[in-house]
Amino acid sequence: MAKKHEHYSSKFPDVEFKRFTVSESLRGHLYIFKTATGMFSYQQIDLGTQIFIRHMTIPETPSILLDLGSGYGPIGIVLGYESP
């Protein structure tokens, strides 16, 4: 039976901690994200997130943004960069 890896925030995660850098061009801007083992899609931005970012509507008026508990935050970071 395959061993299940725990999430990095588990009390005693069974995954060795390693840092990664993910570089991705999103909406015409190069973003560099710092990630770590145990996070969702830590070695690349997953296809669903890429598609969501490509097609999301950016508010034209000042807005409040809350990006909570969503991995290393590519959606919130792109919204924060592009939103006034």
Side-chain angles (χ1 to χ4, degrees), residues 31-33 56 65 67 72-82:
Y31 293 89
I32 300 172
F33 303 97
M56 68 184 172
L65 169 68
D67 184 13
Y72 51 93
I75 295 170
I77 290 169
V78 172
L79 275 170
Y81 179 80
E82 294 204 9

Side-chain angles (χ1 to χ4, degrees), residues 35-82:
T35 70
T37 48
M39 298 184 83
F40 173 72
S41 197
Y42 63 88
Q43 291 182 309
Q44 64 182 20
I45 296 179
D46 65 288
L47 181 59
T49 300
Q50 290 179 32
I51 292 169
F52 183 85
I53 290 171
R54 186 177 312 129
H55 295 285
M56 68 184 172
T57 301
I58 307 294
E60 293 184 19
T61 58
S63 304
I64 294 173
L65 169 68
L66 175 63
D67 184 13
L68 180 65
S70 55
Y72 51 93
I75 295 170
I77 290 169
V78 172
L79 275 170
Y81 179 80
E82 294 204 9

